[in-house]
Amino acid sequence: MPPAKRKATHQLTKQHNRDLVLKTIFENETISRAEIARITKLTRTTVSDVVAGLLSGGLVKEVGFGSSIGGKPSILLSLEADSRYLIGLNLAQNKFIGAVVNLRGQIKETAEIPVPDGDGQQALKSVYEILDKLVKTNWKPLVGIGVGAPGLINTRQGIVVNAVNLNWQDLPLARLLHERYDLPVSVLNDSQATAIGEFVYGDHNSDGNLIVVNVRHGIGAGILINGRIFQGDGGGAGEIGHVLAQEDGLLCRCGRRGCLETIASAQAVLQRAQSLSSVSEFPTLDAIETRFLANDPIARKTVLEAGHSLGRSLGSLVGALNIRKIVLAGDMTCFGQPWLDSVQQAMTRAALGRMAQETELEIGKLDYAACILGASAHLLLDGYSLLFGSEN
Amino acid sequence: MPPAKRKATHQLTKQHNRDLVLKTIFENETISRAEIARITKLTRTTVSDVVAGLLSGGLVKEVGFGSSIGGKPSILLSLEADSRYLIGLNLAQNKFIGAVVNLRGQIKETAEIPVPDGDGQQALKSVYEILDKLVKTNWKPLVGIGVGAPGLINTRQGIVVNAVNLNWQDLPLARLLHERYDLPVSVLNDSQATAIGEFVYGDHNSDGNLIVVNVRHGIGAGILINGRIFQGDGGGAGEIGHVLAQEDGLLCRCGRRGCLETIASAQAVLQRAQSLSSVSEFPTLDAIETRFLANDPIARKTVLEAGHSLGRSLGSLVGALNIRKIVLAGDMTCFGQPWLDSVQQAMTRAALGRMAQETELEIGKLDYAACILGASAHLLLDGYSLLFGSEN
């Protein structure tokens, strides 16, 4: 084989081995070289070589001795969580929130800014403003920016295809941010980012498949299959909020009628409560929460009916995918167990008994941070090259 | 590394390279060694070594010369389609159908037998009977048996967990067949097998993601993600027939009410037409087909309403997965374009405009053979080792 190709192949193998070792270290609190060799099926020599590189790069540290059966005790390795930092952005809340996170997903510093109303240019400026602030902090080196944005996203091209609330259409966000900050950038749908965040950091004990449903102003899901986010052919996988749930239902912001969002989202609950009572009685979701806890009949009715509609939709997902763990995230989770029960009950009624019974439904643990953590973790999903900067 | 491990690693690399080369030959009508090297990124020497083994094993043949830019013309290789045979079984029709197929999915010989009604032991005997017949034919060597069976299947363990119509519960079908025929056996859900068949042999131009919906007595789907069948955590992915489609609807054979099957399956159409008219008017689905073609209003109403209900369910799938190609298979496809139009229309209404418009809906090309071909192809999905018998 020609020298150039041989070199390329050799380089690829090296990267592959390094990623494999690093992934194994990521996935364990502490681990010995021998254990890494056993798990990765690499030779001990290869593992030692790779680890030497990681130690000298500061990504990994030796943290003590483990027990060993006979022979000398083995040295334990651990990820140096604060050797690199990532920025994660959540653009799907009622304010933009950004954070610097370390390699273990610990948030070191956050920044937030109100969302400008429907002004696309201003929204982009706000993104710059929040990032300008975060890149100037002392958390260094920064190795990438991950963005969770609402709407339909083309992640491969880094384009926000359509985000109604921000008034962005075909915005090449990844390119703009890369040009401004000279860092790798990943852009994905906020519900997909939330799903990755819950999967990686939410401690949900999933084998690799997980559905996370984000129920807030709108409704979106993120679906992990074999440990990877599934985006579908057009990036829109998880867009369950705009599936028809009620014939001739209310008008949705997408222009059609009866979408799931119009009956099961936080916005739908607010509007329904207001229409059954008055805006002054239920000015905000917080007001509904307060009244819900006080057993107000209108608050309970609207919230539990919304849960029921959501559950029925989840029944379709269970039937189609037979993924046994579904995590609910977003504002509506503030209604806790009673709401969760209504979702569960309707879901069980809507899917084949056996499959529904095996499905665990739970509330996410990370709140708005799931999106930030997931967006930043997504930067590392295809390998860890960016942790190594120019040396690669 | 210890010699045993080094040997094992070497063996794995050899198998991996061989599978890679064979896959490339499978995917091309004819191909040169140089092209294989380019596609697989293996060295020319490795490719030549592997090809030499495939030639001597009779799996591949040289079929002539291709053009080459400068230099001497390259020798073209092609799969020897009739060098090995597989058996595929479809146990989900109103009769059991089996076939011997070659490596290009060409059916060489079929056998069929009526399905015994609800007698599990007799059904198993019928499977033996059909296989006894097929293994005795002259198509040799036979390298495996693939089964597409109705109901919930645990493919990894080769167990039919529950197949109501055949009265099988927790039947270790793969073990039973392996013991009897001493061949590798794969068992999977018939709709999943149908999906693999359409994906591999149906010429649907999919990039790797495909949904195949099998609408017959019951309704089931098979979902391919990145070229592999997705079975979910419990093997039940694609069980869309038992998702609630109509509150307080008709009683389903699963014991619940209003499942999609009760309004959109061939059986549902038959029952509906009979209830609107009489059993003597519509004794069979064939009778409905005849009257449908003659524009009989009851036949048209029942068929198109069934299509509408199916389409609405497909809208949920489109929203959840954003897979752009959906293939419809099974008895209901006999109603052709008008039925397909009703499905398409309801699907488009039920999912986000942009995503639904990008989704192509078409009728499968392989009829009942899709299940047979898919079940046999599934034997080779994890590698081609079984083509090499004991030499491996």
Side-chain angles (χ1 to χ4, degrees):
Chain A
M1 121 173 95
K5 190 165 176 186
R6 192 158 55 224
K7 197 172 158 198
T9 307
H10 180 67
Q11 185 65 20
L12 272 179
T13 309
K14 254 182 75 176
Q15 263 182 41
H16 172 80
N17 292 346
R18 191 187 64 196
D19 283 359
L20 206 58
V21 170
L22 203 42
K23 179 167 180 288
T24 311
I25 297 173
F26 257 101
E27 287 171 355
N28 290 274
E29 197 63 40
T30 63
I31 191 167
S32 69
R33 289 171 178 80
E35 268 295 284
I36 295 173
R38 196 185 59 74
I39 292 170
T40 60
K41 299 197 174 69
L42 296 171
T43 66
R44 291 227 192 180
T45 316
T46 304
V47 170
S48 289
D49 286 354
V50 172
V51 167
L54 298 175
L55 285 166
S56 80
L59 266 166
V60 163
K61 57 186 171 187
E62 296 182 336
V63 291
F65 293 93
S67 56
S68 100
I69 304 166
K72 57 177 185 181
S74 56
I75 300 168
L76 292 177
L77 303 164
S78 178
L79 185 71
E80 183 63 88
D82 285 287
S83 62
R84 307 283 191 281
Y85 297 96
L86 302 155
I87 290 177
L89 274 189
N90 179 345
L91 306 184
Q93 300 293 113
N94 50 10
K95 55 197 170 195
F96 288 169
I97 311 179
V100 177
V101 307
N102 73 5
L103 295 181
R104 282 279 182 223
Q106 289 153 339
I107 290 183
K108 311 304 280 195
E109 183 143 359
T110 60
E112 53 182 72
I113 199 168
V115 182
D117 218 12
D119 180 339
Q121 270 307 317
Q122 192 52 48
L124 183 59
K125 275 191 197 149
S126 299
V127 171
Y128 291 155
E129 203 173 317
I130 207 166
L131 285 173
D132 287 351
K133 208 162 151 189
L134 290 171
V135 297
K136 278 191 203 121
T137 60
N138 287 326
W139 311 100
K140 296 280 152 57
L142 277 171
V143 296
I145 299 169
V147 184
L152 188 60
I153 313 290
N154 181 329
T155 296
R156 201 169 306 170
Q157 296 179 24
I159 292 171
V160 179
V161 178
N162 192 18
V164 178
N165 290 352
L166 299 177
N167 202 9
W168 284 349
Q169 281 86 36
D170 295 314
L171 180 78
L173 187 58
R175 182 172 60 73
L176 294 172
L177 298 185
H178 175 69
E179 283 170 5
R180 189 175 170 103
Y181 300 103
D182 196 23
L183 285 171
V185 178
S186 147
V187 181
L188 76 167
N189 171 274
D190 69 292
S191 294
Q192 295 174 2
T194 299
I196 295 173
E198 289 286 347
F199 179 76
V200 176
Y201 300 109
D203 202 16
H204 294 292
N205 232 338
S206 143
D207 278 345
N209 300 325
L210 182 71
I211 297 173
V212 176
V213 183
N214 201 7
V215 195
R216 34 177 197 81
H217 187 90
I219 297 177
I223 301 169
L224 282 120
I225 289 181
N226 298 323
R228 299 185 64 86
I229 192 80
F230 179 71
Q231 301 190 301
D233 293 327
E239 273 289 0
I240 63 171
H242 298 286
V243 169
L244 180 65
Q246 190 171 44
E247 291 282 355
D248 305 318
L250 295 173
L251 191 64
C252 181
R253 58 189 170 137
C254 76
R256 296 175 322 128
R257 284 191 175 274
C259 294
L260 181 62
E261 278 196 11
T262 65
I263 50 176
S265 67
Q267 180 67 9
V269 164
L270 186 59
Q271 283 175 351
R272 184 88 204 288
Q274 290 172 347
S275 77
L276 290 175
S277 170
S278 68
V279 175
S280 59
E281 285 277 313
F282 295 108
T284 61
L285 198 68
D286 285 345
I288 297 181
E289 189 186 350
T290 309
R291 303 281 288 263
F292 181 82
L293 293 172
N295 274 320
D296 174 273
I298 289 180
R300 290 195 75 84
K301 178 181 163 67
T302 52
V303 167
L304 300 183
E305 282 180 3
H308 185 273
S309 300
L310 178 66
R312 200 179 145 169
S313 278
L314 297 192
S316 309
L317 277 184
V318 169
L321 297 175
N322 192 202
I323 290 178
R324 285 180 178 163
K325 179 86 74 168
I326 300 181
V327 171
L328 301 179
D331 302 335
M332 281 297 287
T333 60
C334 73
F335 297 105
Q337 198 61 42
W339 173 72
L340 191 67
D341 289 343
S342 69
V343 177
Q344 175 97 51
Q345 204 181 8
M347 183 187 88
T348 306
R349 256 173 51 78
L352 193 63
R354 196 165 185 147
M355 279 162 68
Q357 279 152 23
E358 292 166 349
T359 307
E360 281 179 67
L361 201 61
E362 55 191 44
I363 287 180
K365 295 166 183 156
L366 302 170
D367 202 1
Y368 73 91
C371 175
I372 290 175
L373 294 176
S376 64
H378 187 251
L379 283 160
L380 302 176
L381 280 191
D382 280 323
Y384 300 106
S385 293
L386 62 81
L387 299 182
F388 297 88
S390 55
E391 55 162 309
N392 214 353
Chain B
M1 114 175 102
K5 188 164 177 187
R6 192 159 56 224
K7 200 173 157 196
T9 307
H10 180 66
Q11 184 66 19
L12 272 179
T13 308
K14 253 183 77 177
Q15 263 183 41
H16 172 80
N17 291 345
R18 191 187 64 195
D19 283 359
L20 206 57
V21 170
L22 203 43
K23 179 166 181 288
T24 311
I25 296 174
F26 258 101
E27 287 171 356
N28 290 275
E29 197 64 39
T30 62
I31 191 166
S32 69
R33 289 172 178 78
E35 268 296 283
I36 296 173
R38 194 184 59 77
I39 293 170
T40 60
K41 300 198 174 71
L42 296 171
T43 66
R44 291 228 192 180
T45 317
T46 304
V47 170
S48 289
D49 287 354
V50 172
V51 167
L54 298 176
L55 284 167
S56 79
L59 265 167
V60 162
K61 58 188 171 185
E62 296 184 333
V63 291
F65 293 94
S67 56
S68 100
I69 303 164
K72 57 177 184 181
S74 56
I75 300 169
L76 292 178
L77 303 165
S78 178
L79 185 71
E80 183 63 88
D82 286 287
S83 62
R84 306 286 191 278
Y85 297 97
L86 302 156
I87 289 177
L89 273 190
N90 179 343
L91 306 184
Q93 300 293 113
N94 50 9
K95 56 198 169 192
F96 288 169
I97 312 179
V100 177
V101 308
N102 73 7
L103 295 181
R104 281 280 181 223
Q106 288 154 339
I107 290 184
K108 311 305 280 193
E109 184 144 357
T110 61
E112 53 181 72
I113 201 168
V115 182
D117 219 12
D119 179 340
Q121 270 307 316
Q122 191 52 50
L124 184 59
K125 274 190 197 148
S126 299
V127 171
Y128 291 155
E129 204 172 315
I130 208 165
L131 285 174
D132 287 351
K133 209 163 150 189
L134 290 171
V135 296
K136 278 192 200 117
T137 60
N138 287 325
W139 310 100
K140 296 280 152 53
L142 278 171
V143 296
I145 299 170
V147 184
L152 188 58
I153 313 289
N154 182 328
T155 296
R156 202 170 303 169
Q157 296 179 25
I159 292 171
V160 179
V161 179
N162 191 20
V164 178
N165 290 352
L166 300 177
N167 202 8
W168 284 349
Q169 281 85 36
D170 295 315
L171 179 78
L173 188 58
R175 182 171 60 72
L176 293 172
L177 299 184
H178 176 67
E179 282 170 5
R180 189 174 170 105
Y181 300 104
D182 196 24
L183 286 171
V185 178
S186 145
V187 180
L188 76 167
N189 171 274
D190 70 291
S191 294
Q192 294 175 2
T194 299
I196 296 174
E198 289 287 347
F199 179 75
V200 176
Y201 300 110
D203 203 15
H204 293 292
N205 233 337
S206 141
D207 278 345
N209 300 326
L210 182 71
I211 296 173
V212 176
V213 183
N214 202 7
V215 195
R216 35 176 196 81
H217 187 90
I219 298 176
I223 301 169
L224 283 121
I225 288 180
N226 298 324
R228 299 186 65 88
I229 192 78
F230 179 70
Q231 302 190 301
D233 292 327
E239 274 289 359
I240 63 169
H242 298 286
V243 168
L244 181 65
Q246 191 171 43
E247 291 283 354
D248 305 318
L250 295 173
L251 190 65
C252 181
R253 57 188 171 136
C254 77
R256 297 177 318 128
R257 287 191 172 274
C259 294
L260 181 63
E261 279 196 10
T262 66
I263 50 175
S265 67
Q267 180 67 10
V269 165
L270 186 59
Q271 284 175 351
R272 183 88 204 287
Q274 289 172 349
S275 77
L276 290 175
S277 169
S278 69
V279 175
S280 59
E281 286 275 314
F282 295 107
T284 62
L285 198 69
D286 284 347
I288 298 180
E289 189 186 350
T290 309
R291 303 279 289 265
F292 182 82
L293 293 171
N295 274 320
D296 174 272
I298 289 179
R300 290 195 75 84
K301 178 182 163 66
T302 52
V303 167
L304 299 183
E305 282 181 3
H308 184 273
S309 299
L310 179 65
R312 199 178 145 170
S313 277
L314 298 192
S316 309
L317 277 183
V318 169
L321 297 175
N322 192 202
I323 290 180
R324 286 181 177 163
K325 178 87 72 168
I326 301 182
V327 171
L328 301 179
D331 302 336
M332 281 297 288
T333 59
C334 74
F335 297 105
Q337 196 63 43
W339 173 71
L340 191 67
D341 288 345
S342 69
V343 178
Q344 174 98 52
Q345 204 180 7
M347 182 186 87
T348 306
R349 255 174 52 78
L352 193 63
R354 193 163 188 152
M355 279 162 67
Q357 279 152 24
E358 290 166 350
T359 307
E360 280 180 68
L361 201 60
E362 56 192 43
I363 287 181
K365 293 166 183 155
L366 302 170
D367 202 359
Y368 73 90
C371 175
I372 291 175
L373 295 175
S376 63
H378 188 251
L379 283 160
L380 301 176
L381 280 192
D382 280 323
Y384 299 106
S385 293
L386 61 81
L387 300 181
F388 298 88
S390 55
E391 57 162 307
N392 212 356

